[in-house]
Amino acid sequence: MKIVTLISDWKLKDPYVSMFKGAILSSIPDVTIVDISHAIPLFDIKQAAFILRSVYSTFPNDSLHIILTASTFSSTEKPICVQYNNHHFLGYDNGIFSILFDTLDELQAFEYSLAEEEASSYLNKLVNMAKWLFNNQLSNFTSPFSNFKMALQQKVIFDENAKKISGQIAYIDSCYNAVTNIPVDKFEEFGQNRAFLATIASSNYLKITKCCDFYNASEEEIYFVKNRLGFIEITMYQSNIAILGNIKIGDKVEIVFN
């Protein structure tokens, strides 16, 4: 099965997503196209990386994930195809790959290298690379690539001496729950079921002392939940907590354990 996923900041009002899908289907007729999201904030590669990183592994191995967020549409740009964890990622090297993967070391990556098609549009090059990948011809028209651009990002810090985890708000979902960049497994490993107090930089009056395995209708205060994406999420039952608490993407989150 040939599966292509798309993630972009193009929205759906304009015809561009449909045009690109049409180009893919014309070139690869037996492909299945799945939309991950086209509602990424404009040029926000951090949001795109967070969402794609959270969901790509749920797709079958050898799926191709095309990243269109913050595309330049320049005919001089050369798309990059990266092979990682039995999946393929195709897009423009605008720094997103440095956020998307745990490490760039020893990645298998390939750059579009057909000189006679330099004037071809960037999107046509993406379609061509997708076709070559599924036809096992990628190495015939590309060259190895390793000089990735680096994007600044906030790493989660685990401070054993201070008994503290420092992270940030990475995503606000459609229900206005605030998703942190703190992985559930790391939170559990570090916390060891100890009591904790969590605060958010922009909301000094919000104090979090409880973490639940699932959304709890009986809770009447703000709490952590271990969400389905595998990250610690800040929520409150049937409340738009991000709005009520003035929580924004990028806000610092600190969890101090007893």
Side-chain angles (χ1 to χ4, degrees):
M1 180 183 294
K2 299 175 182 177
I3 296 177
V4 168
T5 75
L6 303 178
I7 186 167
S8 80
D9 52 0
W10 293 4
K11 311 302 184 282
L12 293 175
K13 178 182 177 181
D14 299 316
Y16 307 121
V17 171
S18 296
M19 290 173 63
F20 187 62
K21 287 182 179 180
I24 294 174
L25 290 169
S26 296
S27 185
I28 316 169
D30 54 342
V31 73
T32 298
I33 302 176
V34 180
D35 296 303
I36 291 179
S37 177
H38 297 294
I40 303 298
L42 287 174
F43 315 118
D44 195 335
I45 60 173
K46 292 182 180 180
Q47 285 284 283
F50 179 82
I51 292 174
L52 182 54
R53 180 173 176 145
S54 298
V55 304
Y56 83 85
S57 62
T58 64
F59 289 88
N61 285 349
D62 291 321
S63 294
L64 172 62
H65 309 282
I66 300 181
I67 307 165
L68 301 167
T69 305
S71 298
T72 65
F73 303 107
S74 170
S75 61
T76 61
E77 296 293 348
K78 297 180 179 180
I80 308 297
C81 187
V82 179
Q83 297 176 5
Y84 177 81
N85 197 24
N86 298 313
H87 287 254
H88 308 278
F89 300 82
L90 177 60
Y92 166 53
D93 181 33
N94 52 17
I96 193 168
F97 295 122
S98 69
I99 306 172
L100 185 58
F101 307 123
D102 291 326
T103 177
L104 296 175
D105 297 335
E106 300 181 2
L107 279 180
Q108 281 192 301
F110 304 90
E111 180 183 51
Y112 191 100
S113 63
L114 274 187
E116 63 270 21
E117 293 192 16
E118 283 301 313
S120 179
S121 76
Y122 177 74
L123 295 181
N124 284 341
K125 292 177 183 178
L126 287 174
V127 173
N128 286 340
M129 288 189 75
K131 178 176 64 176
W132 298 334
L133 175 68
F134 287 124
N135 290 338
N136 296 314
Q137 297 176 320
L138 191 63
S139 60
N140 296 339
F141 305 103
T142 60
S143 55
F145 180 83
S146 60
N147 189 27
F148 291 96
K149 294 180 181 178
M150 303 301 294
L152 294 176
Q153 59 176 316
Q154 175 67 43
K155 298 285 189 180
V156 181
I157 299 173
F158 299 90
D159 188 335
E160 293 282 358
N161 293 328
K163 302 178 182 178
K164 181 173 68 175
I165 299 175
S166 298
Q168 69 174 13
I169 302 300
Y171 182 65
I172 306 293
D173 69 15
S174 298
C175 296
Y176 296 98
N177 299 307
V179 183
T180 75
N181 64 341
I182 302 169
V184 169
D185 57 347
K186 299 296 184 183
F187 172 84
E188 293 176 333
E189 180 182 343
F190 187 91
Q192 295 293 313
N193 293 318
R194 291 175 292 176
F196 65 86
L197 173 64
T199 56
I200 306 160
S202 62
S203 304
N204 292 330
Y205 65 92
L206 292 180
K207 310 294 182 184
I208 305 169
T209 60
K210 185 176 295 186
C211 184
C212 300
D213 291 329
F214 48 84
Y215 299 97
N216 193 340
S218 65
E219 287 294 334
E220 297 181 354
E221 58 187 37
I222 186 172
Y223 62 96
F224 282 157
V225 68
K226 303 170 185 177
N227 77 6
R228 289 171 291 180
L229 299 177
F231 293 93
I232 294 297
E233 177 180 307
I234 301 168
T235 188
M236 187 174 180
Y237 183 66
Q238 292 188 343
S239 297
N240 300 333
I241 192 59
I243 294 177
L244 294 175
N246 192 33
I247 301 172
K248 300 179 179 63
I249 292 172
D251 284 351
K252 187 175 181 180
V253 178
E254 285 195 347
I255 309 171
V256 179
F257 293 87
N258 290 345

